[in-house]
mmCIF file of all heavy atoms in Angstrom:
data_model
loop_
_atom_site.group_PDB
_atom_site.id
_atom_site.type_symbol
_atom_site.label_atom_id
_atom_site.label_comp_id
_atom_site.label_asym_id
_atom_site.label_seq_id
_atom_site.Cartn_x
_atom_site.Cartn_y
_atom_site.Cartn_z
ATOM 1 N N ALA A 224 83.785 76.885 86.980
ATOM 2 C CA ALA A 224 84.021 77.770 85.841
ATOM 3 C C ALA A 224 85.419 78.362 85.823
ATOM 4 O O ALA A 224 85.943 78.669 84.749
ATOM 5 C CB ALA A 224 82.990 78.910 85.846
ATOM 6 N N ARG A 225 86.013 78.550 87.002
ATOM 7 C CA ARG A 225 87.302 79.241 87.065
ATOM 8 C C ARG A 225 88.233 78.581 88.083
ATOM 9 O O ARG A 225 87.777 78.108 89.130
ATOM 10 C CB ARG A 225 87.105 80.712 87.471
ATOM 11 C CG ARG A 225 86.441 81.571 86.418
ATOM 12 C CD ARG A 225 86.256 82.984 86.928
ATOM 13 N NE ARG A 225 85.887 83.900 85.855
ATOM 14 C CZ ARG A 225 85.695 85.206 86.019
ATOM 15 N NH1 ARG A 225 85.843 85.746 87.227
ATOM 16 N NH2 ARG A 225 85.373 85.965 84.992
ATOM 17 N N ILE A 226 89.525 78.629 87.768
ATOM 18 C CA ILE A 226 90.564 78.117 88.669
ATOM 19 C C ILE A 226 91.643 79.187 88.799
ATOM 20 O O ILE A 226 92.067 79.790 87.806
ATOM 21 C CB ILE A 226 91.186 76.815 88.116
ATOM 22 C CG1 ILE A 226 90.114 75.747 87.886
ATOM 23 C CG2 ILE A 226 92.262 76.289 89.078
ATOM 24 C CD1 ILE A 226 90.604 74.551 87.088
ATOM 25 N N ARG A 227 92.079 79.417 90.035
ATOM 26 C CA ARG A 227 93.209 80.300 90.311
ATOM 27 C C ARG A 227 94.129 79.600 91.305
ATOM 28 O O ARG A 227 93.743 78.593 91.917
ATOM 29 C CB ARG A 227 92.743 81.634 90.905
ATOM 30 C CG ARG A 227 91.748 82.410 90.039
ATOM 31 C CD ARG A 227 91.433 83.762 90.679
ATOM 32 N NE ARG A 227 90.338 84.460 90.017
ATOM 33 C CZ ARG A 227 90.476 85.268 88.981
ATOM 34 N NH1 ARG A 227 91.685 85.468 88.468
ATOM 35 N NH2 ARG A 227 89.428 85.872 88.443
ATOM 36 N N TYR A 228 95.323 80.156 91.528
ATOM 37 C CA TYR A 228 96.222 79.624 92.559
ATOM 38 C C TYR A 228 97.115 80.739 93.085
ATOM 39 O O TYR A 228 97.439 81.690 92.385
ATOM 40 C CB TYR A 228 97.063 78.467 92.022
ATOM 41 C CG TYR A 228 97.995 78.825 90.892
ATOM 42 C CD1 TYR A 228 99.316 79.222 91.136
ATOM 43 C CD2 TYR A 228 97.570 78.758 89.569
ATOM 44 C CE1 TYR A 228 100.175 79.551 90.085
ATOM 45 C CE2 TYR A 228 98.416 79.089 88.521
ATOM 46 C CZ TYR A 228 99.715 79.478 88.796
ATOM 47 O OH TYR A 228 100.562 79.815 87.763
ATOM 48 N N THR A 229 97.501 80.628 94.344
ATOM 49 C CA THR A 229 98.390 81.587 94.991
ATOM 50 C C THR A 229 98.839 80.988 96.332
ATOM 51 O O THR A 229 98.087 80.201 96.915
ATOM 52 C CB THR A 229 97.655 82.933 95.200
ATOM 53 O OG1 THR A 229 98.580 83.956 95.496
ATOM 54 C CG2 THR A 229 96.629 82.871 96.317
ATOM 55 N N THR A 230 100.036 81.270 96.823
ATOM 56 C CA THR A 230 101.083 82.140 96.302
ATOM 57 C C THR A 230 102.212 81.258 95.764
ATOM 58 O O THR A 230 102.522 80.226 96.367
ATOM 59 C CB THR A 230 101.597 83.064 97.424
ATOM 60 O OG1 THR A 230 100.598 83.994 97.768
ATOM 61 C CG2 THR A 230 102.839 83.806 97.017
ATOM 62 N N SER A 231 102.847 81.696 94.697
ATOM 63 C CA SER A 231 103.873 80.891 94.038
ATOM 64 C C SER A 231 105.271 81.395 94.347
ATOM 65 O O SER A 231 105.461 82.551 94.732
ATOM 66 C CB SER A 231 103.653 80.919 92.525
ATOM 67 O OG SER A 231 102.403 80.359 92.198
ATOM 68 N N HIS A 232 106.257 80.536 94.152
ATOM 69 C CA HIS A 232 107.672 80.903 94.260
ATOM 70 C C HIS A 232 108.287 80.776 92.869
ATOM 71 O O HIS A 232 108.019 79.802 92.156
ATOM 72 C CB HIS A 232 108.399 79.993 95.250
ATOM 73 C CG HIS A 232 109.754 80.501 95.643
ATOM 74 N ND1 HIS A 232 110.844 80.435 94.799
ATOM 75 C CD2 HIS A 232 110.189 81.094 96.784
ATOM 76 C CE1 HIS A 232 111.907 80.958 95.409
ATOM 77 N NE2 HIS A 232 111.537 81.368 96.612
ATOM 78 N N PRO A 233 109.113 81.737 92.471
ATOM 79 C CA PRO A 233 109.705 81.662 91.127
ATOM 80 C C PRO A 233 110.437 80.356 90.850
ATOM 81 O O PRO A 233 110.403 79.848 89.717
ATOM 82 C CB PRO A 233 110.666 82.857 91.101
ATOM 83 C CG PRO A 233 110.067 83.836 92.048
ATOM 84 C CD PRO A 233 109.464 82.999 93.146
ATOM 85 N N ASN A 234 111.086 79.785 91.861
ATOM 86 C CA ASN A 234 111.872 78.563 91.639
ATOM 87 C C ASN A 234 111.018 77.339 91.367
ATOM 88 O O ASN A 234 111.535 76.319 90.914
ATOM 89 C CB ASN A 234 112.778 78.297 92.844
ATOM 90 C CG ASN A 234 113.916 79.293 92.947
ATOM 91 O OD1 ASN A 234 113.952 80.281 92.225
ATOM 92 N ND2 ASN A 234 114.845 79.044 93.849
ATOM 93 N N ASP A 235 109.721 77.419 91.657
ATOM 94 C CA ASP A 235 108.834 76.267 91.461
ATOM 95 C C ASP A 235 107.877 76.449 90.287
ATOM 96 O O ASP A 235 106.906 75.713 90.158
ATOM 97 C CB ASP A 235 108.033 76.010 92.746
ATOM 98 C CG ASP A 235 108.919 75.598 93.909
ATOM 99 O OD1 ASP A 235 109.834 74.793 93.693
ATOM 100 O OD2 ASP A 235 108.702 76.091 95.029
ATOM 101 N N MET A 236 108.163 77.430 89.430
ATOM 102 C CA MET A 236 107.294 77.699 88.283
ATOM 103 C C MET A 236 107.692 76.760 87.137
ATOM 104 O O MET A 236 108.500 77.092 86.263
ATOM 105 C CB MET A 236 107.428 79.168 87.865
ATOM 106 C CG MET A 236 106.276 79.684 87.053
ATOM 107 S SD MET A 236 104.787 79.850 88.052
ATOM 108 C CE MET A 236 103.571 79.990 86.751
ATOM 109 N N ALA A 237 107.129 75.547 87.153
ATOM 110 C CA ALA A 237 107.526 74.492 86.221
ATOM 111 C C ALA A 237 106.972 74.737 84.821
ATOM 112 O O ALA A 237 105.994 75.470 84.619
ATOM 113 C CB ALA A 237 107.033 73.140 86.739
ATOM 114 N N ASP A 238 107.607 74.090 83.844
ATOM 115 C CA ASP A 238 107.173 74.220 82.450
ATOM 116 C C ASP A 238 105.706 73.825 82.283
ATOM 117 O O ASP A 238 104.958 74.462 81.530
ATOM 118 C CB ASP A 238 108.041 73.338 81.548
ATOM 119 C CG ASP A 238 109.484 73.841 81.448
ATOM 120 O OD1 ASP A 238 109.732 75.013 81.814
ATOM 121 O OD2 ASP A 238 110.347 73.057 81.005
ATOM 122 N N GLY A 239 105.295 72.758 82.976
ATOM 123 C CA GLY A 239 103.913 72.302 82.850
ATOM 124 C C GLY A 239 102.915 73.317 83.349
ATOM 125 O O GLY A 239 101.822 73.461 82.785
ATOM 126 N N LEU A 240 103.274 74.047 84.383
ATOM 127 C CA LEU A 240 102.373 75.063 84.917
ATOM 128 C C LEU A 240 102.275 76.249 83.969
ATOM 129 O O LEU A 240 101.190 76.809 83.769
ATOM 130 C CB LEU A 240 102.852 75.506 86.301
ATOM 131 C CG LEU A 240 101.941 76.452 87.077
ATOM 132 C CD1 LEU A 240 100.535 75.881 87.222
ATOM 133 C CD2 LEU A 240 102.535 76.751 88.455
ATOM 134 N N ILE A 241 103.389 76.631 83.391
ATOM 135 C CA ILE A 241 103.360 77.704 82.387
ATOM 136 C C ILE A 241 102.483 77.290 81.207
ATOM 137 O O ILE A 241 101.654 78.072 80.719
ATOM 138 C CB ILE A 241 104.783 78.049 81.927
ATOM 139 C CG1 ILE A 241 105.579 78.638 83.099
ATOM 140 C CG2 ILE A 241 104.751 79.040 80.761
ATOM 141 C CD1 ILE A 241 107.046 78.864 82.783
ATOM 142 N N ALA A 242 102.638 76.043 80.755
ATOM 143 C CA ALA A 242 101.837 75.553 79.637
ATOM 144 C C ALA A 242 100.354 75.498 79.993
ATOM 145 O O ALA A 242 99.487 75.705 79.128
ATOM 146 C CB ALA A 242 102.324 74.166 79.219
ATOM 147 N N ALA A 243 100.036 75.238 81.274
ATOM 148 C CA ALA A 243 98.634 75.192 81.688
ATOM 149 C C ALA A 243 97.946 76.539 81.466
ATOM 150 O O ALA A 243 96.758 76.592 81.130
ATOM 151 C CB ALA A 243 98.535 74.778 83.151
ATOM 152 N N HIS A 244 98.681 77.626 81.632
ATOM 153 C CA HIS A 244 98.099 78.942 81.379
ATOM 154 C C HIS A 244 97.735 79.111 79.899
ATOM 155 O O HIS A 244 96.825 79.872 79.573
ATOM 156 C CB HIS A 244 99.071 80.039 81.813
ATOM 157 C CG HIS A 244 99.034 80.320 83.287
ATOM 158 N ND1 HIS A 244 98.038 81.048 83.873
ATOM 159 C CD2 HIS A 244 99.856 79.936 84.287
ATOM 160 C CE1 HIS A 244 98.250 81.133 85.171
ATOM 161 N NE2 HIS A 244 99.344 80.462 85.461
ATOM 162 N N ARG A 245 98.420 78.417 79.038
ATOM 163 C CA ARG A 245 98.110 78.453 77.605
ATOM 164 C C ARG A 245 96.967 77.506 77.251
ATOM 165 O O ARG A 245 96.097 77.848 76.442
ATOM 166 C CB ARG A 245 99.368 78.062 76.817
ATOM 167 C CG ARG A 245 99.200 78.036 75.303
ATOM 168 C CD ARG A 245 100.400 77.322 74.668
ATOM 169 N NE ARG A 245 100.454 75.920 75.076
ATOM 170 C CZ ARG A 245 101.600 75.247 75.270
ATOM 171 N NH1 ARG A 245 102.776 75.847 75.127
ATOM 172 N NH2 ARG A 245 101.565 73.970 75.634
ATOM 173 N N ASP A 246 96.930 76.346 77.905
ATOM 174 C CA ASP A 246 96.090 75.253 77.427
ATOM 175 C C ASP A 246 94.761 75.086 78.169
ATOM 176 O O ASP A 246 93.824 74.498 77.613
ATOM 177 C CB ASP A 246 96.866 73.933 77.522
ATOM 178 C CG ASP A 246 98.125 73.935 76.668
ATOM 179 O OD1 ASP A 246 98.163 74.695 75.678
ATOM 180 O OD2 ASP A 246 99.071 73.201 77.015
ATOM 181 N N ILE A 247 94.659 75.550 79.405
ATOM 182 C CA ILE A 247 93.470 75.276 80.211
ATOM 183 C C ILE A 247 92.638 76.544 80.324
ATOM 184 O O ILE A 247 93.031 77.513 80.982
ATOM 185 C CB ILE A 247 93.864 74.732 81.602
ATOM 186 C CG1 ILE A 247 94.602 73.402 81.444
ATOM 187 C CG2 ILE A 247 92.621 74.557 82.479
ATOM 188 C CD1 ILE A 247 95.071 72.785 82.741
ATOM 189 N N GLU A 248 91.496 76.537 79.683
ATOM 190 C CA GLU A 248 90.659 77.734 79.595
ATOM 191 C C GLU A 248 90.157 78.192 80.958
ATOM 192 O O GLU A 248 90.018 79.392 81.213
ATOM 193 C CB GLU A 248 89.480 77.471 78.663
ATOM 194 C CG GLU A 248 88.615 78.690 78.388
ATOM 195 C CD GLU A 248 87.509 78.413 77.393
ATOM 196 O OE1 GLU A 248 87.488 77.312 76.809
ATOM 197 O OE2 GLU A 248 86.653 79.300 77.206
ATOM 198 N N LYS A 249 89.876 77.256 81.851
ATOM 199 C CA LYS A 249 89.354 77.629 83.164
ATOM 200 C C LYS A 249 90.416 78.279 84.056
ATOM 201 O O LYS A 249 90.066 78.927 85.050
ATOM 202 C CB LYS A 249 88.784 76.400 83.881
ATOM 203 C CG LYS A 249 87.490 75.868 83.277
ATOM 204 C CD LYS A 249 86.974 74.679 84.086
ATOM 205 C CE LYS A 249 85.717 74.079 83.467
ATOM 206 N NZ LYS A 249 85.220 72.911 84.244
ATOM 207 N N LEU A 250 91.688 78.088 83.749
ATOM 208 C CA LEU A 250 92.753 78.709 84.531
ATOM 209 C C LEU A 250 92.832 80.178 84.154
ATOM 210 O O LEU A 250 93.142 80.531 83.023
ATOM 211 C CB LEU A 250 94.083 78.010 84.272
ATOM 212 C CG LEU A 250 95.285 78.547 85.057
ATOM 213 C CD1 LEU A 250 95.047 78.481 86.559
ATOM 214 C CD2 LEU A 250 96.552 77.782 84.683
ATOM 215 N N MET A 251 92.550 81.044 85.108
ATOM 216 C CA MET A 251 92.417 82.465 84.829
ATOM 217 C C MET A 251 93.781 83.107 84.500
ATOM 218 O O MET A 251 94.813 82.678 84.999
ATOM 219 C CB MET A 251 91.778 83.181 86.013
ATOM 220 C CG MET A 251 90.320 82.824 86.250
ATOM 221 S SD MET A 251 89.209 83.363 84.912
ATOM 222 C CE MET A 251 89.096 81.865 83.888
ATOM 223 N N PRO A 252 93.751 84.154 83.669
ATOM 224 C CA PRO A 252 94.980 84.815 83.232
ATOM 225 C C PRO A 252 95.521 85.772 84.296
ATOM 226 O O PRO A 252 95.572 86.997 84.118
ATOM 227 C CB PRO A 252 94.548 85.565 81.966
ATOM 228 C CG PRO A 252 93.111 85.894 82.222
ATOM 229 C CD PRO A 252 92.560 84.714 82.984
ATOM 230 N N PHE A 253 95.918 85.202 85.416
ATOM 231 C CA PHE A 253 96.422 86.001 86.536
ATOM 232 C C PHE A 253 97.490 85.179 87.252
ATOM 233 O O PHE A 253 97.292 83.992 87.518
ATOM 234 C CB PHE A 253 95.292 86.343 87.503
ATOM 235 C CG PHE A 253 95.720 87.234 88.656
ATOM 236 C CD1 PHE A 253 95.658 88.616 88.530
ATOM 237 C CD2 PHE A 253 96.194 86.692 89.830
ATOM 238 C CE1 PHE A 253 96.061 89.439 89.581
ATOM 239 C CE2 PHE A 253 96.595 87.502 90.882
ATOM 240 C CZ PHE A 253 96.530 88.882 90.750
ATOM 241 N N LEU A 254 98.614 85.821 87.582
ATOM 242 C CA LEU A 254 99.700 85.136 88.277
ATOM 243 C C LEU A 254 100.285 86.053 89.335
ATOM 244 O O LEU A 254 100.790 87.127 89.031
ATOM 245 C CB LEU A 254 100.805 84.726 87.292
ATOM 246 C CG LEU A 254 102.069 84.126 87.917
ATOM 247 C CD1 LEU A 254 101.746 82.823 88.664
ATOM 248 C CD2 LEU A 254 103.139 83.887 86.859
ATOM 249 N N HIS A 255 100.206 85.607 90.582
ATOM 250 C CA HIS A 255 100.873 86.313 91.683
ATOM 251 C C HIS A 255 102.203 85.620 91.933
ATOM 252 O O HIS A 255 102.243 84.478 92.390
ATOM 253 C CB HIS A 255 100.005 86.288 92.942
ATOM 254 C CG HIS A 255 100.626 87.008 94.092
ATOM 255 N ND1 HIS A 255 100.814 88.372 94.089
ATOM 256 C CD2 HIS A 255 101.114 86.566 95.280
ATOM 257 C CE1 HIS A 255 101.378 88.749 95.224
ATOM 258 N NE2 HIS A 255 101.577 87.659 95.960
ATOM 259 N N LEU A 256 103.296 86.315 91.617
ATOM 260 C CA LEU A 256 104.628 85.722 91.704
ATOM 261 C C LEU A 256 105.563 86.709 92.422
ATOM 262 O O LEU A 256 106.127 87.609 91.806
ATOM 263 C CB LEU A 256 105.155 85.398 90.303
ATOM 264 C CG LEU A 256 106.382 84.490 90.246
ATOM 265 C CD1 LEU A 256 106.054 83.097 90.790
ATOM 266 C CD2 LEU A 256 106.900 84.374 88.814
ATOM 267 N N PRO A 257 105.716 86.566 93.736
ATOM 268 C CA PRO A 257 106.536 87.510 94.494
ATOM 269 C C PRO A 257 107.997 87.509 94.054
ATOM 270 O O PRO A 257 108.568 86.456 93.761
ATOM 271 C CB PRO A 257 106.408 87.013 95.934
ATOM 272 C CG PRO A 257 105.112 86.264 95.969
ATOM 273 C CD PRO A 257 105.017 85.610 94.610
ATOM 274 N N VAL A 258 108.592 88.711 94.022
ATOM 275 C CA VAL A 258 110.018 88.851 93.715
ATOM 276 C C VAL A 258 110.765 89.439 94.898
ATOM 277 O O VAL A 258 111.907 89.109 95.128
ATOM 278 C CB VAL A 258 110.220 89.702 92.436
ATOM 279 C CG1 VAL A 258 109.687 91.108 92.614
ATOM 280 C CG2 VAL A 258 111.687 89.734 92.025
ATOM 281 N N GLN A 259 110.144 90.350 95.636
ATOM 282 C CA GLN A 259 110.636 90.994 96.854
ATOM 283 C C GLN A 259 111.636 92.120 96.622
ATOM 284 O O GLN A 259 111.597 93.134 97.306
ATOM 285 C CB GLN A 259 111.221 89.971 97.852
ATOM 286 C CG GLN A 259 110.310 88.820 98.196
ATOM 287 C CD GLN A 259 109.000 89.223 98.855
ATOM 288 O OE1 GLN A 259 108.722 90.392 99.079
ATOM 289 N NE2 GLN A 259 108.157 88.247 99.118
ATOM 290 N N SER A 260 112.552 91.975 95.660
ATOM 291 C CA SER A 260 113.542 93.024 95.399
ATOM 292 C C SER A 260 114.037 92.904 93.973
ATOM 293 O O SER A 260 113.999 91.816 93.381
ATOM 294 C CB SER A 260 114.720 92.904 96.371
ATOM 295 O OG SER A 260 115.742 93.828 96.047
ATOM 296 N N GLY A 261 114.520 94.026 93.428
ATOM 297 C CA GLY A 261 115.134 94.000 92.105
ATOM 298 C C GLY A 261 116.641 93.932 92.158
ATOM 299 O O GLY A 261 117.305 93.937 91.111
ATOM 300 N N SER A 262 117.200 93.848 93.361
ATOM 301 C CA SER A 262 118.655 93.807 93.537
ATOM 302 C C SER A 262 119.131 92.386 93.780
ATOM 303 O O SER A 262 118.661 91.721 94.714
ATOM 304 C CB SER A 262 119.059 94.685 94.722
ATOM 305 O OG SER A 262 120.353 94.362 95.188
ATOM 306 N N ASP A 263 120.073 91.917 92.982
ATOM 307 C CA ASP A 263 120.590 90.559 93.165
ATOM 308 C C ASP A 263 121.292 90.401 94.510
ATOM 309 O O ASP A 263 121.204 89.346 95.144
ATOM 310 C CB ASP A 263 121.553 90.197 92.027
ATOM 311 C CG ASP A 263 120.830 89.912 90.723
ATOM 312 O OD1 ASP A 263 119.589 89.777 90.742
ATOM 313 O OD2 ASP A 263 121.502 89.840 89.675
ATOM 314 N N ARG A 264 121.998 91.443 94.973
ATOM 315 C CA ARG A 264 122.673 91.315 96.261
ATOM 316 C C ARG A 264 121.659 91.186 97.389
ATOM 317 O O ARG A 264 121.808 90.355 98.294
ATOM 318 C CB ARG A 264 123.588 92.519 96.522
ATOM 319 C CG ARG A 264 124.511 92.292 97.740
ATOM 320 C CD ARG A 264 124.942 93.578 98.393
ATOM 321 N NE ARG A 264 123.825 94.305 98.990
ATOM 322 C CZ ARG A 264 123.280 94.016 100.179
ATOM 323 N NH1 ARG A 264 123.738 92.993 100.886
ATOM 324 N NH2 ARG A 264 122.281 94.735 100.646
#
Side-chain angles (χ1 to χ4, degrees):
R225 290 178 168 182
I226 303 168
R227 303 184 189 272
Y228 63 92
T229 195
T230 291
S231 298
H232 193 285
N234 289 9
D235 295 318
M236 200 70 196
D238 292 344
L240 187 55
I241 295 173
H244 279 283
R245 179 193 64 214
D246 299 335
I247 297 179
E248 186 176 353
K249 289 182 183 179
L250 181 58
M251 292 294 95
F253 183 90
L254 174 62
H255 181 67
L256 194 65
V258 62
Q259 307 299 0
S260 174
S262 162
D263 286 348
R264 191 206 65 80

